[in-house]
Amino acid sequence: MQNINEPENHHSKPRRKFRVSRLIGFDAWLDSSFYNLRYFLSESWENITIFFRRFRVRGFRRFLIEIFSECATWGTVGAVIMLALALPAFEETKKDWRAQDNYAVTFLDRNGNEIGQRGILHREAVPIDELPDHVMKAVLGTEDRRFFEHFGIDLWGLSRALSQNVQANGVVQGGSTITQQLAKNLFLTNERTIERKINEAFLALWLEANLSKKEILQLYLDRAYMGGGTFGIAAASEFYFGKNIKDVNLAEAAMLAGLFKAPAKFAPHVNLPAARARASVVLSNMIDSGMMSEGQIMAAKRNPASVIDRAKSESPDYFLDWAFDEVKRVTQNMPQHSLIVRTTLDRGIQNAAEEAIEFHLRQFGADYKVTEAATVVLDNDGGVRAIVGGRDYGESQFNRATSASRQTGSSFKPYVFAAAMEKGMTPETIVSDAPVAWGNWAPRNYGRSFSGRVNLTTALVKSLNSVPVRLAKDHLTTAPIVALVKAIGVQSPVSSHKTMVLGTSGMTVMEQAMGFNVFANGGMAGTQHGFTQITTTDGRIIWDINRDGEKPHRVLSEKAAVDMNSMLVQVPEWGTARRASLAMTRVAGKTGTTQSYRDAWFVGYTGNFTAAVWFGNDNFSPMNNLTGGILPAMTWQRMMNYAHQNIELKPIFGIKNPFPAKPKNAPDAQISSHEDSQVQRPTLLTPQMTRFLQKLHDDFLNAPALPDGSAPKKLSLL
């Protein structure tokens, strides 16, 4: 009997059989489909294999194919990598790089004497077709003999240069083409890095693809720096010979062509013998390249070119470049572009700054493994008295004083302490110099030791690391420090990361001078300026600092400024900057040294001047244990000794005693010989003269023995 609780299901078996049969059919279809697909793929692969067997090579040909394949693979990988590196450089091509400034600006120093020009010297171009034949041959025979044959990169010329350099065991010949040099002049800097060379090569190819050979050569002749503040071969002809480029003779053309290699080294108004020696090399190159015969150039070798007698002092080119950009910024909306600008430059201080940098790099550069330096000197009213943007403008026009952002190290600490003063702390506030940890960051002092409880003055004078970290961590945070630095006028990015309190953010030398000038000015910012008046050529004033200049504004209270000055004035007296002290007036300032000795700073001020000095290397390579208290402080002292001669000495803001304390137990009427020597006006030589004297000294030391084998006799000067 059927259970009454079970539902009736008369059709269950037929339905189940139907579903099973459908599943079996689907499974059979699936199996056959996979089988057919596998068969089709196998047959296709067999056909492909049979087809490609006809291309199979064996033996030596296979070896060559394998090598070619590997080269193609790695060549593609290398090309992709280099293209990735070059992409930032191609961004420069989006700008209007063809345009030249229509400015013609004559610059005067603070006393009204002309110091140089900018703008017009870039534009006095002469078409290629109108240039004398010997001018073109002199340039091409020396700079790029195969210019009209290569595609922007001369592989044959590069291999020849490498061979010559290997044989000479040094760099005696360059492999860059004119196109590569133009790419560097238009888009890149002179820094010697692999990345720059890669970018230079790609941009050279880009120029070749977008310009004709004649256009490339025209731009090269018009844009190259030729020494003496001139840009372009036509302007150089006017500057050195007082004649149009169309009228120069063969000897003069050779001298001009020789300037492309090293315009500062071979500038004839600075070193005429070197310029003539270089011109002789150019004439020989014209013979070697087959462009002229020996008979054609003999007269030029026998009668070398002479130049116009110009002032011995060189143009302050780094200052002029910076001032030119500032003038364009101020007058960009004005219709008048032929201008006369009265600047704040002091030629004496400018020469002293150049000499101080050259002196210390020449004397100590090799020992400390440092190759570059820069400085900015401000009057305490904000006027820029001097800018040195590098050791040699002819070698590199990159302005390290206004364009290079470098880590500041401990020279950043005064901004941290200033923010603490604003919050109510004083120089006598006691803090703990003990191990401190901020998250996973635990900085240590330079000497790896701690002093316990100290006041803020001692912490700043001894440049203790733990104290500014503790101030920011426990009392300030980094926000007010960043706000203070930005209020001063610093344009470089300043990180708000905790490590910024020890100077991990970058600043320019100009920004450092501006920052410390705020302390010297009692907390006022916005005073920095490079010129006081701009007039048209007919004498009409279109800009005056008293009428149109930025108005000073307070960024630090007077009390905080006085407190900072009372601490910073002790750094050169018993702290890390004793080499920066002056005999005639008190000095306030701070040293700075970055990680691995990549940057060394001293930024200091008196009641009259503020100056920042930086030493380092363009490739960021470490120096040999160079700290801010050594060469930067010594350089600062040397140029400030000059700057403070024959002027009214002013006290530092808020400092009651403006003069250094006399040595203990010294009679009032006596001054030590060391102090007396510091007060005397130092004798200054131009950087070019010091280099010439050093070369002359080396030549004497390396002079060959006399024919009889005896040593040269000593000469006495009567």
Side-chain angles (χ1 to χ4, degrees):
M1 176 181 286
Q2 185 178 1
N3 191 325
I4 61 174
N5 295 323
E6 293 180 359
E8 295 185 4
N9 190 1
H10 300 289
H11 304 286
S12 59
K13 283 187 178 181
R15 288 179 180 176
R16 188 179 299 113
K17 288 182 179 180
F18 176 74
R19 286 197 295 269
V20 170
S21 63
R22 290 188 64 181
L23 289 174
I24 292 173
F26 177 75
D27 180 67
W29 175 83
L30 194 63
D31 289 343
S32 61
S33 298
F34 276 116
Y35 176 81
N36 291 332
L37 178 62
R38 186 177 64 179
Y39 178 79
F40 173 76
L41 292 176
S42 299
E43 188 176 11
S44 299
W45 179 252
E46 182 67 21
N47 292 333
I48 293 172
T49 303
I50 293 172
F51 175 77
F52 278 102
R53 280 176 184 169
R54 67 185 67 180
F55 301 106
R56 183 177 298 176
V57 292
R58 293 181 175 82
F60 183 70
R61 286 187 298 173
R62 180 171 182 176
F63 174 73
L64 295 178
I65 292 296
E66 291 291 340
I67 291 179
F68 175 78
S69 299
E70 290 296 323
C71 290
T73 301
W74 288 108
T76 303
V77 172
V80 171
I81 293 174
M82 287 193 295
L83 183 60
L85 291 173
L87 284 177
F90 282 121
E91 292 297 320
E92 296 293 329
T93 63
K94 297 179 180 179
K95 302 177 182 179
D96 188 12
W97 52 269
R98 283 179 177 270
Q100 298 187 61
D101 296 312
N102 60 345
Y103 283 83
V105 183
T106 299
F107 289 95
L108 312 177
D109 66 12
R110 62 192 297 260
N111 298 316
N113 302 310
E114 184 175 335
I115 55 175
Q117 294 179 312
R118 283 295 183 270
I120 193 66
L121 295 181
H122 290 269
R123 302 179 63 248
E124 296 179 355
V126 175
I128 290 288
D129 296 334
E130 298 180 18
L131 290 175
D133 182 64
H134 53 264
V135 171
M136 300 304 303
K137 289 180 177 178
V139 174
L140 294 176
T142 300
E143 295 300 313
D144 193 350
R145 299 176 187 179
R146 302 181 67 252
F147 173 72
F148 289 100
E149 301 171 21
H150 61 67
F151 53 90
I153 301 173
D154 187 4
L155 299 180
W156 174 256
L158 182 61
S159 62
R160 184 185 66 249
L162 289 174
S163 174
Q164 293 289 333
N165 293 337
V166 169
Q167 293 178 15
N169 196 25
V171 180
V172 296
Q173 191 174 113
S176 295
T177 64
I178 282 179
T179 313
Q180 288 176 275
Q181 295 178 56
L182 177 62
K184 181 184 68 175
N185 293 340
L186 291 178
F187 304 113
L188 306 172
T189 66
N190 285 328
E191 59 178 345
R192 297 180 178 180
T193 63
I194 295 177
E195 183 179 358
R196 196 219 77 187
K197 293 299 292 184
I198 293 174
N199 292 340
E200 179 184 287
F202 274 99
L203 288 169
L205 297 176
W206 185 89
L207 287 172
E208 290 279 347
N210 288 272
L211 302 176
S212 67
K213 286 288 187 179
K214 183 181 292 187
E215 289 176 316
I216 292 173
L217 189 56
Q218 183 78 65
L219 283 171
Y220 177 72
L221 295 176
D222 292 344
R223 302 291 181 92
Y225 179 66
M226 305 291 283
T230 63
F231 289 81
I233 195 169
S237 176
E238 295 281 356
F239 181 80
Y240 294 121
F241 307 122
K243 58 175 66 174
N244 191 288
I245 186 63
K246 300 178 184 179
D247 301 324
V248 297
N249 57 38
L250 179 56
E252 293 166 340
M255 188 171 286
L256 290 174
L259 292 172
F260 288 99
K261 179 179 177 63
K265 181 179 179 181
F266 300 121
H269 71 305
V270 176
N271 192 342
L272 185 57
R276 286 176 170 173
R278 175 62 181 167
S280 180
V281 173
V282 172
L283 293 170
S284 298
N285 288 338
M286 296 171 71
I287 298 174
D288 296 339
S289 62
M291 294 183 178
M292 280 193 172
S293 66
E294 189 170 353
Q296 290 175 299
I297 61 93
M298 189 58 64
K301 281 197 171 186
R302 290 178 176 175
N303 301 285
S306 297
V307 297
I308 296 174
D309 185 20
R310 294 188 176 272
K312 297 298 181 183
S313 57
E314 277 204 321
S315 175
D317 291 309
Y318 287 116
F319 177 90
L320 292 178
D321 286 350
W322 172 78
F324 187 48
D325 290 338
E326 291 293 299
V327 168
K328 290 190 292 184
R329 179 180 62 83
V330 169
T331 62
Q332 59 183 341
N333 296 323
M334 299 180 183
Q336 303 88 354
H337 285 172
S338 294
L339 308 170
I340 298 175
V341 178
R342 192 181 189 103
T343 72
T344 57
L345 182 90
D346 187 302
R347 289 300 298 266
I349 297 177
Q350 176 70 32
N351 291 339
E354 292 176 359
E355 189 273 343
I357 282 180
E358 175 61 25
F359 174 82
H360 288 96
L361 284 174
R362 187 182 69 251
Q363 292 288 96
F364 307 106
D367 293 338
Y368 286 104
K369 296 182 180 179
V370 57
T371 58
E372 281 296 347
T375 186
V376 170
V377 182
L378 305 179
D379 190 290
N380 280 352
D381 67 359
V384 180
R385 293 291 184 251
I387 293 178
V388 182
R391 186 175 188 177
D392 190 333
Y393 185 84
E395 180 71 20
S396 171
Q397 292 86 56
F398 178 66
N399 196 331
R400 296 158 188 83
T402 60
S403 302
S405 182
R406 303 291 295 234
Q407 287 189 348
T408 55
S410 292
S411 63
F412 187 85
K413 291 175 183 175
Y415 306 118
V416 181
F417 280 71
M421 297 300 107
E422 284 287 72
K423 196 166 183 179
M425 296 184 184
T426 70
E428 300 305 319
T429 299
I430 301 297
V431 291
S432 175
D433 176 32
V436 59
W438 195 345
N440 59 356
W441 182 49
R444 293 178 290 182
N445 291 330
Y446 180 76
R448 305 297 178 92
S449 61
F450 296 94
S451 303
R453 291 174 60 79
V454 297
N455 59 30
L456 290 182
T457 299
T458 301
L460 185 58
V461 172
K462 290 188 175 182
S463 197
L464 303 177
N465 287 337
S466 67
V467 172
V469 175
R470 195 178 301 278
L471 289 176
K473 174 178 178 289
D474 298 337
H475 303 283
L476 300 172
T477 73
T478 60
I481 304 170
V482 174
L484 174 61
V485 173
K486 289 299 182 183
I488 288 171
V490 173
Q491 300 294 320
S492 297
V494 179
S495 170
S496 59
H497 190 265
K498 54 194 174 187
T499 58
M500 61 88 71
V501 298
L502 297 185
T504 55
S505 293
M507 293 172 64
T508 67
V509 181
M510 176 68 80
E511 289 171 338
Q512 283 275 68
M514 289 168 50
F516 278 63
N517 196 236
V518 169
F519 302 138
N521 277 326
M524 302 298 290
T527 62
Q528 178 259 359
H529 58 281
F531 43 85
T532 57
Q533 197 172 77
I534 302 176
T535 64
T536 59
T537 53
D538 58 2
R540 185 165 52 88
I541 298 174
I542 62 173
W543 188 93
D544 187 273
I545 189 170
N546 296 321
R547 182 188 68 197
D548 309 300
E550 180 184 357
K551 305 305 178 185
H553 57 279
R554 181 165 296 282
V555 297
L556 200 64
S557 66
E558 284 193 18
K559 180 183 181 304
V562 171
D563 288 342
M564 289 303 304
N565 291 342
S566 70
M567 292 188 289
L568 289 171
V569 78
Q570 299 181 58
V571 177
E573 295 175 347
W574 58 279
T576 58
R578 277 168 282 191
R579 290 182 176 90
S581 61
L582 299 175
M584 73 290 290
T585 186
R586 296 184 78 179
V587 175
K590 186 70 186 72
T591 58
T593 309
T594 63
Q595 190 175 19
S596 300
Y597 299 97
R598 286 185 170 87
D599 304 277
W601 295 82
F602 178 70
V603 191
Y605 52 96
T606 65
N608 297 83
F609 298 104
T610 302
V613 179
W614 165 86
F615 275 73
N617 294 311
D618 286 342
N619 60 2
F620 293 89
S621 61
M623 297 175 288
N624 185 21
N625 297 327
L626 178 61
T627 65
I630 306 177
L631 294 189
M634 293 163 63
T635 301
W636 192 95
Q637 182 197 60
R638 188 176 179 91
M639 63 186 186
M640 286 297 108
N641 266 325
Y642 177 91
H644 286 81
Q645 304 307 310
N646 302 320
I647 63 172
E648 178 188 354
L649 298 176
K650 301 176 183 178
I652 296 174
F653 184 86
I655 302 300
K656 295 181 179 179
N657 180 16
F659 302 108
K662 294 180 180 179
K664 293 182 179 180
N665 303 323
D668 291 342
Q670 293 182 356
I671 299 177
S672 68
S673 60
H674 171 68
E675 290 174 335
D676 186 63
S677 66
Q678 282 190 310
V679 177
Q680 299 304 313
R681 186 186 187 96
T683 302
L684 296 178
L685 297 174
T686 64
Q688 290 71 29
M689 180 58 70
T690 53
R691 283 195 293 270
F692 173 74
L693 292 177
Q694 181 65 31
K695 182 179 182 300
L696 189 63
H697 172 265
D698 295 339
D699 289 342
F700 275 120
L701 291 180
N702 299 324
L706 296 176
D708 59 358
S710 62
K713 296 180 180 180
K714 294 184 178 179
L715 299 177
S716 61
L717 299 178
L718 300 179

